[in-house]
Amino acid sequence: MADKKKKGKVSGAFKAVGTDIKDIGTTFAKGDWKTRVSFLIMGFGQLTRKQWVRGIAFLGAEVLFILYMVFFGAGYLKDIGTLGTKVGGYDANYVYTYGDNSFLILLYSILSIFVIFAFIFVWRLNIRDNKNNQNKLILPSNKADIASLFDEHFDKTLLTLPVLGVFMFVLLPIIFMICIAFTNYDATHQSPTNLFTWVGFDNFKNLFSIGTGGFGKTFGTVLSWTLIWAFFATFLNYFLGMAVAILINKKGIKFKKLWRTILVMTIAIPQFISLLYVGKMFANDGLVNMYLMKWGWISQPIPFWTNPTLAKITIIVINLWVGIPYVMLITTGLLMNIPEELYESAKIDGANAFQTFRKITLPYMLFVTGPYLLTSFTGNLNNFNIIYLLNQGKPQSLSLSGGAGYTDLLVTWLYKMTVNDTNYKMAAVIGIMVFVVTAVISLVVYNLLPSVKDEEGFQ
Amino acid sequence: MAKQHNMRTRKRISNTIAYIVLILISIIWLFPFVCLVLQSFRSYITELGGMVDYLVPKKFSLDSYKFLFSGETKFLKWYGNTLIIAIFVAIGQTAFVLCVSYALSRMRFKGRTLLMRFWLILGMFPGFLTMICLYFLLKQFGLTQAGAVPGLILISVASSGMGYYVCKGYFDTIPKSLDEAARIDGATRAQIFIKMIIPLSKPMIIYTALTAFMAPWCDYVFASYVAFGNDNGYNVAVAMQRWVWTNDFQGYFTRFCAGGVLVAIPVTVLFLCLQKYYVEGVTGGAVKG
């Protein structure tokens, strides 16, 4: 069923492209000479029809595009197949000559491909605009064109900068890094002194190879801890946070605002201070161990951060300290939305507190906060701060590759490979895997959510 | 009578237990912060500046604070850097988020759902993946190392359009009939946005600006990468984590505590003042997803 739908979409897209090309053809065949010249010189038709604003915008776009390609883009784009062949170095007279810079070749090639696509899009707009104009007797004036940017075309004004920003600083880097996953860019292939080149799927093979030197075993260890961590971090926080919210909401409890404010302190105080400090508190020479030893309860410091299992438990427990206030804030308001009559009738029927929680509170809360649980889970998969600020993913182990430690999540491992090992190719592969894990979980869970399946359920 | 009496005692007992639990929770939650403040008052000259086995300093001293203001390190510069980043990011992000939210909530244009879906997918890539590439992009503009402050502002603001979910959800709850009435009266879209929607969404503006303002104080990862060892481009997080993690952290621990207190006070006070709006934003975002 889903397959068919997808096929329908794909063939639909092809059909749309087909009709578009056909439309371009008929526009040329049936167009007047102004329109036909506009195929080559963008904005010509608009200028001759006295639409100065549009005409100059189209013509300017074309001029800029040609200048960009001639002086900048084409030079990089021609090397994209090899990512550069000339290595820089000293010649016989000790004169340094610069070689190709693979990094910049790849980066600017991708940018140029973006620019080409954008140009084709603008060119198409230009043709459609000409086609629409040639049959009209009265055309919108220049003033009306500009005014429409603040009225019916206000979305274009609003979205231009944000969309451009995302393209430049989010999409371009992501595509670049996806490409890096298919190259051998690492410590021994650093640009500008060395070149790197395409290697196909070698890095992915390395990720799944279990033999020595392969990343397979480490990947398995890190991935399973990432999933375990996200599970506990999400659901323990959720249930305990809800319990605290119920406790504060309880009838007859005074100073409700005070209790909430105390809990919220962990959100208010920047995490890098609180987590670094708490991390040090549990160190071998930290306050907790020092006091326990002074009181004679233990003779050896408890290895909170150096024992793998203990470190994992400590992190999950400390995360409660960070996470419970969020859940408490979110659930407090929602808990008050549950109709009081439901609880009263349950009481008359003789239900105890636990039963009312299981039969009334929990189903309602799960229904309403389903989307929150999902975003919280995927957020925890990528919860860099808590792991890195508390103990940097330690304890490290020689049996793990890529400098990974036993409490490293996929993202902290990615970070370590980028910063410590400059193993960019494997970092890129891990980044793609994080995306795959996040996307699969989101898709599967989203379709299972009761609030998505049955929107009217509790209304 | 007896039954009622019984119920009252039971209620009293359960409330007492609840209070005990709440007090215990409060102690656990506040304990680290109390420790932080106490240790910041220990002198690194007359006592040890590192980790010790007692909590309350033997003698109350302001040495650690004096050190921060003495000019021996560039603490004031770092503090100023962070403040500048935070303020500009708060303004820029709020403006971007408002623009995107209004366009997506109120206007229907070609490619709208495509754009939303596309951004959702982009959001699933981990941010650290693109760190190297962003570093080199910034380097081309000369915005790394000493120029890290404008560089960090640029990156945070440029990508902020993708965080429109909560704000758009809020705009969706403002009735569309208001827009239509205004349009009948001859108002343009831009006028509706500026004169009507923005004043109506004060809580959302405060929430967006507050979260944007607080994030740079914790930004260690990307900030340290962009500053690349040039201490003129550091923010407080980058500068102060070295006092904890480098080998001589033993001597710098109380100075970290003092710096931490100085960073935490304004941010915490601001947050507690605007807590109401924060709760509203977080709750709205959680339910709508």
Side-chain angles (χ1 to χ4, degrees):
Chain A
M1 176 63 193
D3 221 41
K4 227 177 190 176
K5 220 171 162 185
K6 208 169 184 186
K7 251 184 203 163
K9 252 184 195 167
V10 171
S11 71
F14 273 119
K15 241 183 209 164
V17 171
T19 47
D20 219 41
I21 290 171
K22 208 171 151 195
D23 187 52
I24 293 171
T26 48
T27 309
F28 189 78
K30 292 184 183 163
D32 56 13
W33 67 277
K34 288 174 185 169
T35 304
R36 287 186 191 170
V37 174
S38 296
F39 271 70
L40 208 62
I41 303 171
M42 278 169 41
F44 184 81
Q46 286 87 343
L47 286 173
T48 47
R49 291 185 184 100
K50 292 192 181 146
Q51 289 188 303
W52 307 118
V53 178
R54 291 185 194 199
I56 290 171
F58 279 124
L59 191 63
E62 183 168 8
V63 171
L64 278 180
F65 173 74
I66 292 171
L67 287 178
Y68 171 85
M69 284 316 279
V70 169
F71 290 105
F72 193 79
Y76 287 106
L77 209 51
K78 73 176 180 357
D79 285 330
I80 193 170
T82 57
L83 296 180
T85 45
K86 211 172 84 203
V87 185
Y90 293 96
D91 63 8
N93 303 320
Y94 297 103
V95 178
Y96 192 85
T97 46
Y98 285 97
D100 291 330
N101 186 333
S102 307
F103 191 99
L104 293 183
I105 289 171
L106 183 57
L107 182 62
Y108 290 139
S109 297
I110 296 169
L111 183 66
S112 303
I113 293 169
F114 272 25
V115 171
I116 291 172
F117 273 112
F119 178 74
I120 293 173
F121 178 73
V122 175
W123 182 77
R124 180 72 188 100
L125 279 184
N126 155 61
I127 287 169
R128 192 172 295 143
D129 194 46
N130 268 299
K131 180 191 166 195
N132 291 340
N133 285 346
Q134 67 183 2
N135 301 324
K136 278 187 203 156
L137 289 174
I138 303 162
L139 294 170
S141 70
N142 294 314
K143 223 170 149 187
D145 264 349
I146 292 177
S148 80
L149 284 178
F150 295 93
D151 200 5
E152 63 261 36
H153 292 304
F154 192 42
D155 53 316
K156 297 193 176 72
T157 318
L158 288 176
L159 285 175
T160 305
L161 265 184
V163 170
L164 212 65
V166 171
F167 261 79
M168 195 63 192
F169 293 104
V170 181
L171 183 62
L172 177 69
I174 284 177
I175 294 191
F176 176 82
M177 289 312 294
I178 291 174
C179 291
I180 289 291
F182 298 94
T183 69
N184 58 359
Y185 185 30
D186 58 18
T188 52
H189 297 89
Q190 291 257 40
S191 50
T193 39
N194 283 308
L195 301 170
F196 60 85
T197 188
W198 301 105
V199 293
F201 283 92
D202 283 5
N203 299 324
F204 289 89
K205 274 181 208 148
N206 184 17
L207 183 71
F208 293 113
S209 73
I210 304 173
T212 45
F215 275 59
K217 197 175 146 257
T218 314
F219 179 63
T221 316
V222 176
L223 178 64
S224 52
W225 161 239
T226 306
L227 291 173
I228 292 168
W229 146 260
F231 179 81
F232 278 108
T234 308
F235 289 100
L236 269 186
N237 282 354
Y238 184 70
F239 287 113
L240 291 176
M242 210 187 324
V244 172
I246 291 172
L247 195 64
I248 297 178
N249 276 3
K250 194 172 181 306
K251 264 189 215 146
I253 296 287
K254 284 177 187 161
F255 317 117
K256 290 186 198 294
K257 220 180 157 192
L258 174 76
W259 306 120
R260 282 185 200 129
T261 308
I262 288 172
L263 282 167
V264 160
M265 288 296 274
T266 43
I267 306 179
I269 293 174
Q271 276 192 349
F272 103 91
I273 300 164
S274 54
L275 288 181
L276 275 179
Y277 187 81
V278 173
K280 272 278 166 275
M281 269 174 79
F282 286 90
N284 282 353
D285 55 353
L287 272 178
V288 174
N289 272 323
M290 287 297 193
Y291 267 100
L292 289 179
M293 270 154 71
K294 217 158 82 171
W295 293 334
W297 291 11
I298 49 171
S299 54
Q300 290 284 316
I302 302 172
F304 285 115
W305 295 137
T306 41
N307 177 313
T309 320
L310 203 53
K312 287 175 184 179
I313 295 169
T314 316
I315 284 182
I316 291 176
V317 170
I318 292 179
N319 185 52
L320 290 176
W321 184 73
V322 177
I324 283 179
Y326 281 102
V327 182
M328 189 270 301
L329 281 184
I330 290 164
T331 49
T332 299
L334 297 174
L335 284 169
M336 289 195 253
N337 287 347
I338 304 177
E340 195 65 27
E341 300 96 68
L342 282 179
Y343 287 114
E344 260 154 36
S345 60
K347 216 175 192 177
I348 290 165
D349 291 346
N352 61 25
F354 180 71
Q355 280 169 325
T356 47
F357 174 78
R358 236 197 60 189
K359 296 282 180 196
I360 301 173
T361 317
L362 193 61
Y364 175 81
M365 293 305 284
L366 280 177
F367 178 82
V368 179
T369 55
Y372 164 76
L373 276 175
L374 176 58
T375 46
S376 159
F377 189 86
T378 52
N380 275 322
L381 286 176
N382 296 314
N383 200 336
F384 182 90
N385 267 359
I386 186 139
I387 302 285
Y388 201 72
L389 293 176
L390 278 178
N391 75 334
Q392 301 105 58
K394 283 171 196 161
Q396 241 157 355
S397 161
L398 283 178
S399 65
L400 296 178
S401 340
Y406 280 108
T407 56
D408 261 325
L409 301 181
L410 286 174
V411 273
T412 55
W413 191 29
L414 187 166
Y415 175 76
K416 280 182 181 172
M417 279 203 276
T418 308
V419 174
N420 302 344
D421 299 356
T422 58
N423 193 349
Y424 302 122
K425 55 176 191 185
M426 287 316 285
V429 173
I430 295 295
I432 293 173
M433 295 324 285
V434 172
F435 167 75
V436 170
V437 171
T438 317
V440 166
I441 290 176
S442 305
L443 268 181
V444 171
V445 178
Y446 185 78
N447 287 319
L448 290 177
L449 282 182
S451 44
V452 173
K453 265 199 222 158
D454 176 20
E455 276 194 277
E456 309 295 324
F458 264 90
Q459 284 163 0
Chain B
M1 226 7 220
K3 202 179 171 194
Q4 219 175 32
H5 183 74
N6 194 9
M7 276 218 357
R8 207 176 289 159
T9 1
R10 265 182 61 190
K11 198 161 195 185
R12 193 172 297 158
I13 291 170
S14 83
N15 272 356
T16 318
I17 294 172
Y19 276 121
I20 291 171
V21 173
L22 281 175
I23 289 169
L24 272 178
I25 287 176
S26 304
I27 291 172
I28 294 172
W29 250 259
L30 292 181
F31 181 68
F33 302 128
V34 174
C35 295
L36 181 78
V37 174
L38 282 176
Q39 297 205 320
S40 75
F41 289 119
R42 188 173 73 217
S43 168
Y44 63 93
I45 301 167
T46 55
E47 294 174 52
L48 278 171
M51 316 279 283
V52 287
D53 64 350
Y54 56 91
L55 183 59
V56 185
K58 286 175 185 148
K59 219 183 113 220
F60 176 86
S61 111
L62 287 172
D63 284 345
S64 302
Y65 290 95
K66 279 182 198 147
F67 168 82
L68 296 176
F69 288 101
S70 68
E72 252 179 88
T73 59
K74 296 178 180 168
F75 182 76
L76 291 177
K77 164 112 184 147
W78 299 330
Y79 204 95
N81 280 349
T82 323
L83 195 64
I84 291 169
I85 296 174
I87 290 172
F88 277 95
V89 167
I91 296 171
Q93 278 202 8
T94 313
F96 268 43
V97 166
L98 285 176
C99 287
V100 172
S101 305
Y102 180 80
L104 292 177
S105 164
R106 282 303 197 267
M107 317 224 14
R108 292 292 175 269
F109 49 90
K110 229 176 141 183
R112 175 176 164 274
T113 43
L114 188 74
L115 182 75
M116 282 161 68
R117 245 180 243 162
F118 189 60
W119 281 6
L120 183 73
I121 292 171
L122 278 188
M124 290 178 189
F125 282 96
F128 306 114
L129 178 65
T130 56
M131 216 164 52
I132 336 159
C133 187
L134 286 176
Y135 175 77
F136 278 95
L137 270 176
L138 285 182
K139 207 174 161 191
Q140 304 298 315
F141 303 122
L143 293 180
T144 53
Q145 301 201 317
V149 173
L152 285 171
I153 296 172
L154 177 70
I155 296 282
S156 308
V157 174
S159 57
S160 60
M162 286 166 70
Y164 64 84
Y165 298 97
V166 178
C167 191
K168 179 188 169 277
Y170 185 86
F171 282 179
D172 286 341
T173 61
I174 301 176
K176 271 193 176 161
S177 50
L178 284 179
D179 288 43
E180 276 149 25
R183 280 180 71 74
I184 290 168
D185 290 344
T188 63
R189 289 276 186 192
Q191 284 166 336
I192 294 172
F193 178 50
I194 290 165
K195 295 202 178 136
M196 214 176 76
I197 300 289
I198 288 185
L200 275 177
S201 44
K202 188 182 140 205
M204 208 28 63
I205 293 173
I206 294 176
Y207 166 74
T208 315
L210 179 67
T211 43
F213 182 83
M214 287 179 64
W217 297 94
C218 299
D219 181 17
Y220 162 71
V221 177
F222 194 59
S224 69
Y225 204 70
V226 172
F228 212 74
N230 185 321
D231 64 0
N232 282 319
Y234 283 177
N235 65 9
V236 275
V238 177
M240 281 170 44
Q241 61 79 27
R242 289 176 316 150
W243 294 349
V244 179
W245 283 345
T246 48
N247 287 330
D248 68 337
F249 74 78
Q250 286 295 350
Y252 272 92
F253 190 66
T254 57
R255 286 170 251 199
F256 165 77
C257 294
V261 171
L262 290 182
V263 170
I265 286 173
V267 179
T268 311
V269 169
L270 187 74
F271 182 87
L272 291 180
C273 290
L274 303 174
Q275 197 185 342
K276 192 179 94 192
Y277 302 104
Y278 182 82
V279 174
E280 202 170 321
V282 163
T283 320
V287 179
K288 276 166 216 121

